[in-house]
Amino acid sequence: MVQAYILIQTEVGRAAAVASDVAGIEGVTRAEDVTGPYDVIVHVQAPDVDTLGDQVIVSVQKVPGITRTLTCPVVSAAATA
């Protein structure tokens, strides 16, 4: 399983709508609107890197209101208790 975080900048006033729209995309496990230099942070996962890029990330980038994205692949996941 491949995981990544996608940091999203949106048009003014569109963060909540973008987070809601992105949350419905297959492979998105969490989407939240936040404050700071990015407006939405999304956690995604896919079975492999090709699927992550071709299906999940491309689908996210098509959501109306997004102006810029930065994808941060997870290189190692910490164990959870």
Side-chain angles (χ1 to χ4, degrees):
M1 186 69 58
V2 177
Q3 300 179 56
Y5 289 92
I6 304 174
L7 311 178
I8 300 173
Q9 292 177 336
T10 69
E11 295 170 353
V12 174
R14 298 275 301 150
V18 166
S20 178
D21 290 348
V22 168
I25 295 172
E26 185 176 349
V28 172
T29 61
R30 191 168 187 149
E32 298 181 293
D33 50 318
V34 298
T35 61
Y38 292 93
D39 303 305
V40 177
I41 296 178
V42 179
H43 181 261
V44 298
Q45 62 183 23
D48 54 59
V49 173
D50 290 335
T51 303
L52 182 71
D54 293 342
Q55 294 178 9
V56 181
I57 295 171
V58 169
S59 296
V60 168
Q61 291 175 340
K62 290 180 180 179
V63 172
I66 293 177
T67 59
R68 186 176 197 160
T69 64
L70 174 65
T71 302
C72 305
V74 173
V75 293
S76 68
T80 56

